[in-house]
Amino acid sequence: MKRRISLILSFTCAIISFASDFDEVLNTVVKNNLTQRYSTLSDEAKIEGLKGENQLEAPELGFDHVWGAGSVGNKLSLSLSQSFDWPGVYAARRKAIETSSTAMQYLREATLLDTRMEARLLLIDLIYTKQRINIVSDMADGMATLADNYKKAMEDGSETRLDYNKAVIEKISVDKELETLRVEYEGQVASLEVMNGGKDVAALLDKLGTDYPELPMSAFVPDINMLRERDPEYAAAMASVDAAASVVRVERLSRYPGFSLGYNYEYEMGDIFNGFSFSVTLPFLSRKHKVKAATFEMEAAKVDAEMKLTARASEFNSLYRQAQVLRRFLDRYEEVVKDDSNLKLLRKALDGGQINFLTYLQEVNFFLSAHKDYLDTLYQYHQTLGRLSRYN
């Protein structure tokens, strides 16, 4: 299991050559996040607790003072004893603590991957919202100019009040949508600040920009062998199997006798007695079921490891198929949506009197809706790739 340690470090080194502004922002947020620090401190507390349970019992000090009747005299006794388990138990417990510590390390790495993916998806959300703000903002500027033109035309009698009112209403509608998007963006920025350990994110947002990171789908072809090597949750589950096996050994050794050694001092009727005491604890009957329970825990840990691997493989296969479908739709969209001449031609037709204002709004909304659908699909595609890039 030692070869699996520091999985995150090896993945990070493997993708340095593909670093981008997006990666730099992501790395900064993950570095500043407090989740990993909390997990480390919590695990250290648990390990110290386990180590505390593997210590010798505290020595027991006894004192008796008995008064005799009449001239018999008094009796005084003093004893000091130390109990301990079968010697091999302590080594077995140390081994169990080591394997438990390894499992906890892998779980911390899994938590780090979760944090990294959560931050990645949030950054993708921010890019998506900024893209929508940009397109609606351009639309709002165009409607503002159009409303001003219609107002002047209404005042000189070349346009009706009805067309001017339509322009104002449409401008209000676009402004409302723009304001809603800005509020949504502010909420996402607040979430990013929380993930960034409470630190200001203005500089990070400037560096993030409005473009998604370039992530070729060929880098995410599902491979169960890759999952076995890279998934910390699977590694943690396998380490839990080792830990459970160590616990089985502890429980088996704990069935062997325990001992107690002591020193006794007694004073009675002027005579002094010194000696040693020795006792044996026989736990083999009382710990029988604990051995069975630990064995079942070990078998359950094996099944859990395979379940985690199967579930992760199924998740990645599903995500990859979804990404393939979305990519095909994007290829079809991009042929027409990226052509920005549509709105210019419509405005030219409106200004030239070839179409009326109502037709212009209908056509603009059609192309605007198509562009929004494209942005939605692009967002879903990069969200899917973001989940597939869990180990990057």
Side-chain angles (χ1 to χ4, degrees):
M1 293 299 295
K2 291 184 178 178
R3 66 188 177 86
R4 295 180 177 273
I5 295 179
S6 300
L7 296 171
I8 303 303
L9 178 61
S10 66
F11 306 154
T12 303
C13 293
I15 62 170
I16 285 178
S17 59
F18 300 102
S20 63
D21 287 343
F22 183 93
D23 296 321
E24 290 181 18
V25 173
L26 176 60
N27 291 337
T28 300
V29 173
V30 174
K31 179 182 177 181
N32 293 334
N33 190 266
L34 300 176
T35 303
Q36 197 68 8
R37 184 181 176 190
Y38 167 80
S39 297
T40 300
L41 292 173
S42 178
D43 287 349
E44 287 178 353
K46 292 175 183 176
I47 291 299
E48 289 302 314
L50 292 174
K51 289 180 179 179
E53 295 176 1
N54 197 33
Q55 302 294 317
L56 290 174
E57 295 290 337
E60 186 174 340
L61 179 64
F63 175 76
D64 291 328
H65 188 274
V66 182
W67 288 268
S71 59
V72 174
N74 299 330
K75 181 178 179 181
L76 182 146
S77 64
L78 180 69
S79 65
L80 178 65
S81 63
Q82 174 68 61
S83 299
F84 54 90
D85 295 322
W86 186 265
V89 172
Y90 298 99
R93 284 183 184 148
R94 282 195 299 272
K95 178 64 176 177
I97 292 171
E98 290 173 3
T99 52
S100 295
S101 178
T102 300
M104 289 180 184
Q105 178 183 341
Y106 291 139
L107 287 175
R108 286 198 302 273
E109 291 189 2
T111 300
L112 178 59
L113 286 184
D114 288 340
T115 300
R116 189 174 181 83
M117 187 174 70
E118 183 181 352
R120 179 186 286 111
L121 296 181
L122 179 56
L123 294 178
I124 291 173
D125 286 345
L126 284 160
I127 292 174
Y128 173 54
T129 305
K130 283 200 284 188
Q131 288 180 346
R132 288 186 294 161
I133 287 175
N134 288 343
I135 188 175
V136 177
S137 180
D138 290 343
M139 188 65 185
D141 292 342
M143 290 306 303
T145 302
L146 196 61
D148 289 341
N149 292 341
Y150 268 83
K151 182 178 181 181
K152 293 176 183 178
M154 178 191 67
E155 290 171 349
D156 63 23
S158 59
E159 291 290 346
T160 66
R161 177 81 184 189
L162 184 61
D163 283 335
Y164 169 68
N165 287 344
K166 290 178 182 178
V168 171
I169 291 172
E170 189 64 23
K171 175 66 168 59
I172 293 172
S173 177
V174 174
D175 286 345
K176 181 181 177 182
E177 182 178 0
L178 181 59
E179 190 62 30
T180 300
L181 287 172
R182 285 172 174 166
V183 171
E184 181 180 341
Y185 184 75
E186 289 173 2
Q188 292 170 346
V189 171
S191 297
L192 185 63
E193 286 181 347
V194 172
M195 290 208 71
N196 197 44
K199 298 180 180 180
D200 184 73
V201 296
L204 296 179
L205 292 172
D206 289 340
K207 180 174 286 189
L208 182 64
T210 58
D211 295 323
Y212 295 112
E214 292 294 331
L215 297 173
M217 276 191 59
S218 58
F220 306 116
V221 178
D223 181 1
I224 195 166
N225 291 323
M226 177 274 291
L227 296 177
R228 287 184 185 276
E229 291 298 321
R230 293 190 177 186
D231 190 73
E233 283 192 41
Y234 176 71
M238 293 303 296
S240 295
V241 174
D242 292 342
S246 297
V247 171
V248 171
R249 177 170 172 76
V250 169
E251 294 298 341
R252 283 175 177 166
L253 289 173
S254 296
R255 297 185 68 192
Y256 291 154
F259 306 97
S260 178
L261 291 176
Y263 165 76
N264 295 331
Y265 168 87
E266 291 189 7
Y267 174 84
E268 184 175 359
M269 299 176 65
D271 293 323
I272 296 176
F273 302 87
N274 290 282
F276 294 94
S277 63
F278 175 77
S279 62
V280 178
T281 304
L282 303 174
F284 59 89
L285 292 176
S286 63
R287 304 192 71 90
K288 176 181 178 181
H289 294 292
K290 290 188 176 182
V291 173
K292 286 187 176 181
T295 303
F296 287 138
E297 287 287 345
M298 179 181 67
E299 295 301 323
K302 292 179 182 178
V303 175
D304 183 58
E306 292 306 314
M307 287 173 58
K308 280 183 167 58
L309 182 65
T310 301
R312 186 69 72 192
S314 176
E315 176 192 0
F316 269 52
N317 285 325
S318 177
L319 288 171
Y320 189 75
R321 288 195 297 270
Q322 181 180 352
Q324 287 178 311
V325 172
L326 291 170
R327 183 66 261 176
R328 287 197 293 269
F329 277 111
L330 285 173
D331 292 340
R332 294 171 62 185
Y333 265 122
E334 289 173 356
E335 294 180 10
V336 291
V337 172
K338 287 190 174 182
D339 182 3
D340 60 359
S341 64
N342 295 318
L343 298 182
K344 293 179 181 178
L345 291 173
L346 284 172
R347 183 60 185 270
K348 186 176 181 179
L350 176 66
D351 293 340
Q354 294 173 297
I355 58 175
N356 59 30
F357 183 65
L358 182 58
T359 301
Y360 171 78
L361 289 181
Q362 290 173 339
E363 295 298 320
V364 164
N365 284 330
F366 172 80
F367 285 108
L368 184 61
S369 177
H371 202 127
K372 288 178 179 178
D373 286 343
Y374 166 73
L375 291 182
D376 287 345
T377 306
L378 187 63
Y379 165 69
Q380 293 170 18
Y381 174 70
H382 282 281
Q383 278 270 314
T384 304
L385 290 187
R387 296 181 186 279
L388 281 170
S389 59
R390 175 181 178 83
Y391 305 109
N392 295 338

